[in-house]
């Protein structure tokens, strides 16, 4: 979704409400498309960051769960831009010029100069946004199926030019049609922020009441018979009222046996009953901006794991010289090889068994690049004879607590398993250990997330170790 600021009920019933359901069935990625906002609003970015956060707030308030799906901001996952650039090399201009919205929007916004490279290329950026996650499906409304078709064409073209080990890199994703019930704006036009006829997901109860009471209905006179299908209030009943109430107002409207005043009062009740828990969640979240930033950062990390996996494949298929081939370092762990601890860990009898499972998961990957010899429990030796201390812990409420004896090592590896069973390896090189020797001596060793950054917490000191995640250069 583009960062248009607070979302309205049209956005909610047309997409968001369905996403909340999908997150339980699919590995899902939902993001605020802030780069897309620049394709038309490049000349005024004063509200961009605030609007982005408002949309994130609405995502969360509506029920998207950061533990169940990835919720993030597009510009925080730079791989989207890299893939867009690569696609721009192989996409014929004609494909973009014939996208219907290209001409339509230029006509709709005559006062805006949209003869920009970014505006022409935005459907291709969308294709990159989609294909970077190599998805099976894209949840869209009927009107966006054409955009998915362009994405499928781009995937096909890339796969024709480039293959990885003889296989295509990208799938051709299918549209997953979102049931989007009709919802008129309060003036009977399409619900849209620019028309000023929308009810916001975050509107207070009294504001919702005011807007519904002032809406234009389908029965100018009390004696006129109307149709809930053609009335914004009727639409609200169709979405938010239970079956009995909907039957009551439908009968009353079509037979002119109820007044619009009564019908509106019932709609106010139904809409407010649905929105109250959403408003409550939003209020709580809005009070904690630090937590909000942590959530989008966490979402971007999750998304980047998959996105980087795709980029590794795409770069290799094209034949670009791989960074890893030069440095022989797995700097980041792509999703295909992401470290996921097997489910058996839940039935481990004690901490030692858990340690075995976590370390075995890690070694399986590391040994391919930097073989380690086991010395004794918790200590390994590199090819160059460096001593590597390996410790593992599962996520608790405050982070990860590492319990180990103080033994001299050259490199310290802290394996932090998160709540989704992904293992984050922090590889602290000799230089780091020399500078922070007191870490080894401290009895209380924690890794925590502070303001979205992973830190080593020793006494009152918080030392960032983010940059060492998955950086195996110390094991060469
Ligand atoms: S009775 Fe209800 S649905 Fe019918 S026109 Fe009036 S407000 Fe709309």
């Amino acid at each position: 979704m583009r960062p248009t600021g607070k979302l309205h009920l049209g956005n909610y019933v047309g997409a968001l409400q369905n996403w909340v359901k999908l997150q339980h069935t699919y590995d899902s990625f939902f993001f605020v498309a802030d780069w897309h906002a620049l394709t038309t609003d490049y000349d005024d970015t004063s509200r961009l960051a605030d609007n982005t956060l408002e949309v994130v707030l609405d995502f969360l308030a509506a029920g998207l769960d950061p533990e169940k799906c990835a919720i993030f901001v597009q510009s925080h996952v730079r791989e989207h831009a890299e893939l867009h650039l690569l696609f721009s090399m192989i996409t014929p201009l004609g494909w973009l010029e014939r996208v219907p919205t290209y001409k339509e929007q230029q006509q709709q916004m005559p006062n805006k100069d949209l003869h920009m490279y970014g505006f022409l290329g935005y459907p291709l950026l969308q294709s990159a946004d989609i294909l970077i996650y190599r998805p099976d499906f894209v949840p869209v409304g009927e009107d966006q199926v054409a955009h998915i078709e362009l994405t499928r064409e781009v995937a096909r073209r890339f796969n024709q030019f480039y293959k990885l080990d003889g296989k295509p890199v990208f799938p051709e994703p299918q549209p997953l049609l979102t049931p989007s019930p009709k919802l008129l704006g309060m003036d009977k036009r399409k619900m849209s922020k620019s028309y000023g006829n929308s009810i916001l997901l975050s509107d207070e109860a009294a504001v919702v009441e005011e807007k519904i009471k002032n809406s234009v209905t389908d029965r100018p006179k009390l004696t006129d018979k109307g149709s809930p299908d053609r009335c914004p209030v009727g639409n609200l009943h169709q979405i938010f009222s239970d079956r009995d109430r909907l039957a009551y107002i439908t009968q009353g409207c079509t037979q002119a046996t109820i007044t619009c005043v009564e019908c509106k009062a019932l709609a106010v009740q139904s809409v407010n009953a649905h929105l109250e828990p959403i408003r409550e969640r939003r209020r709580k979240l809005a009070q904690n901006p630090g937590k909000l930033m942590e959530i989008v950062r966490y979402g971007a990390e999750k998304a980047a794991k998959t996105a980087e996996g795709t980029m590794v494949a795409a770069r290799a298929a094209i034949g670009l010289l791989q960074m890893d081939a030069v440095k022989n370092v797995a700097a980041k762990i792509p999703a295909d090889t992401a470290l996921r601890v097997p489910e058996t860990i839940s039935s481990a009898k004690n901490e030692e068994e858990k340690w075995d499972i976590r370390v075995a998961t890690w070694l399986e990957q590391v040994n391919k690049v930097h073989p380690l010899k086991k010395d004794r429990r918790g200590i390994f030796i590199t090819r160059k004879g460096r001593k590597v201390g390996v410790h593992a812990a599962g996520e608790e409420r405050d982070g990860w607590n590492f319990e180990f004896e103080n033994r001299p090592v050259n490199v310290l590896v802290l394996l932090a398993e998160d709540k989704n069973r992904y293992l984050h390896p922090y590889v602290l090189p000799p230089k780091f250990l020399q500078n922070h020797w007191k870490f080894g001596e401290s009895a209380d060793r924690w890794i925590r997330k502070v303001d979205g950054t992973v830190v080593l917490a020793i006494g009152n000191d918080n030392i960032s170790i983010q940059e060492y995640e998955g950086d195996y250069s110390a094991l060469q």
Side-chain angles (χ1 to χ4, degrees):
M1 269 189 203
R2 285 167 68 131
T4 47
K6 291 176 176 171
L7 299 180
H8 57 64
L9 290 190
N11 305 126
Y12 177 64
V13 301
L16 190 50
Q17 197 178 23
N18 192 47
W19 295 0
V20 172
K21 289 189 200 126
L22 294 177
Q23 68 177 338
H24 299 291
T25 326
Y26 296 92
D27 274 340
S28 315
F29 297 84
F30 301 114
F31 64 90
V32 186
D34 54 350
W35 280 332
H36 279 281
L38 295 175
T39 60
T40 49
D41 300 329
Y42 53 84
D43 51 354
D44 181 7
T45 53
S46 54
R47 297 265 322 143
L48 184 56
D50 286 348
N51 284 347
T52 300
L53 277 180
E54 295 286 7
V55 176
V56 174
L57 265 175
D58 280 332
F59 278 7
L60 295 165
L64 286 185
D65 178 347
E67 294 299 334
K68 296 216 162 65
C69 61
I71 303 167
F72 58 99
V73 177
Q74 182 188 28
S75 65
H76 295 179
V77 183
R78 311 265 153 81
E79 286 82 357
H80 288 230
E82 186 183 355
L83 190 59
H84 176 215
L85 176 108
L86 296 179
F87 284 165
S88 75
M89 305 297 171
I90 57 165
T91 305
L93 272 181
W95 288 14
L96 299 173
E97 284 162 348
R98 70 164 194 241
V99 171
T101 44
Y102 178 60
K103 291 247 155 58
E104 275 165 30
Q105 288 208 31
Q106 279 181 334
Q107 281 158 6
Q108 278 166 13
M109 295 189 234
N111 299 327
K112 186 129 221 168
D113 186 1
L114 289 178
H115 295 92
M116 301 294 161
Y117 172 69
F119 181 68
L120 176 68
Y122 94 84
L124 196 60
L125 178 57
Q126 265 182 346
S127 298
D129 293 334
I130 293 168
L131 291 172
I132 193 84
Y133 300 107
R134 293 192 268 181
D136 296 318
F137 298 107
V138 193
V140 289
E142 197 87 55
D143 53 334
Q144 289 161 328
V145 171
H147 281 148
I148 307 302
E149 194 43 47
L150 175 75
T151 300
R152 291 162 54 81
E153 280 179 84
V154 171
R156 215 170 301 147
R157 192 164 168 89
F158 186 99
N159 293 337
Q160 270 164 9
F161 281 121
Y162 317 114
K163 290 200 169 36
L164 188 61
D165 301 330
K167 293 197 198 103
V169 174
F170 293 105
E172 291 182 31
Q174 297 290 337
L176 187 68
L177 280 180
T178 305
S180 44
K182 200 173 75 168
L183 188 59
L184 290 170
M186 295 301 101
D187 58 358
K188 287 179 91 172
R189 289 188 293 174
K190 184 176 182 261
M191 189 178 279
S192 158
K193 256 189 151 175
S194 50
Y195 294 155
N197 64 359
S198 57
I199 295 177
L200 301 181
L201 206 52
S202 50
D203 275 343
E204 289 301 332
V207 177
V208 171
E209 184 170 2
E210 182 77 16
K211 287 182 177 174
I212 293 179
K213 278 191 171 159
N214 291 331
S215 62
V216 179
T217 71
D218 191 44
R219 291 169 57 204
K221 289 203 298 291
L222 208 59
T223 49
D224 289 344
K225 291 179 179 171
S227 163
D229 282 341
R230 293 192 303 262
C231 171
V233 183
N235 283 180
L236 291 173
H237 278 294
Q238 287 165 341
I239 294 160
F240 297 107
S241 289
D242 60 29
R243 224 177 334 153
D244 289 350
R245 183 170 284 179
L246 178 59
Y248 172 71
I249 71 102
T250 305
Q251 158 92 7
C253 177
T254 51
Q255 303 304 318
T257 52
I258 59 166
T259 61
C260 287
V261 173
E262 183 191 352
C263 182
K264 284 176 173 179
L266 291 173
V268 171
Q269 277 178 12
S270 298
V271 174
N272 272 335
H274 190 94
L275 293 190
E276 190 44 41
I278 296 178
R279 282 193 288 256
E280 185 54 32
R281 274 198 294 271
R282 202 181 199 282
R283 266 193 290 271
K284 281 200 185 123
L285 283 159
Q287 284 164 2
N288 195 346
K291 168 106 180 134
L292 208 56
M293 289 311 296
E294 204 180 294
I295 288 171
V296 287
R297 189 187 171 100
Y298 176 61
E301 271 176 24
K302 264 213 262 190
K305 274 190 178 151
T306 302
E308 179 56 18
T310 302
M311 286 317 302
V312 168
R315 293 179 205 124
I318 290 175
L320 297 165
L321 179 63
Q322 299 280 294
M323 187 68 120
D324 290 357
V326 184
K327 292 206 298 176
N328 194 19
V329 169
K332 270 192 176 177
I333 304 159
D336 315 32
T337 50
L339 293 166
R340 192 105 197 260
V341 177
E343 209 157 7
T344 46
I345 194 150
S346 56
S347 46
K349 285 190 221 65
N350 50 38
E351 278 307 308
E352 280 196 0
E353 270 193 33
K354 285 185 187 167
W355 184 93
D356 284 338
I357 294 171
R358 287 172 183 136
V359 173
T361 306
W362 179 70
L363 280 176
E364 200 181 319
Q365 184 185 69
V366 169
N367 275 338
K368 286 184 199 149
V369 194
H370 306 294
L372 295 174
K373 227 170 53 199
K374 190 166 179 188
D375 184 16
R376 58 201 139 103
R377 194 180 179 86
I379 305 278
F380 294 82
I381 309 290
T382 69
R383 270 188 293 215
K384 288 186 184 163
R386 277 180 173 165
K387 270 190 183 179
V388 183
V390 181
H391 304 281
E395 186 171 1
E396 296 168 38
R397 207 168 59 84
D398 292 330
W400 294 264
N401 183 17
F402 288 89
E403 286 177 15
F404 52 85
E405 294 162 31
N406 183 20
R407 287 187 287 195
V409 290
N410 305 107
V411 179
L412 191 63
V413 176
L414 301 176
L415 301 175
E417 183 194 339
D418 69 20
K419 293 205 170 110
N420 296 317
R421 286 192 281 111
Y422 282 107
L423 209 54
H424 303 263
Y426 297 94
V427 184
L428 308 180
K431 203 162 170 213
F432 181 94
L433 298 179
Q434 280 154 22
N435 290 342
H436 305 289
W437 58 270
K438 61 182 173 175
F439 170 65
E441 296 198 328
S442 165
D444 199 15
R445 306 169 176 100
W446 279 91
I447 295 185
R448 290 199 183 102
K449 282 193 185 154
V450 177
D451 295 334
T453 303
V454 177
V455 299
L456 257 183
I458 315 166
N460 290 331
D461 286 349
N462 284 332
I463 305 148
S464 173
I465 57 167
Q466 190 81 54
E467 65 188 282
Y468 297 109
E469 182 177 353
D471 180 354
Y472 296 150
S473 37
L475 302 183
Q476 276 179 316

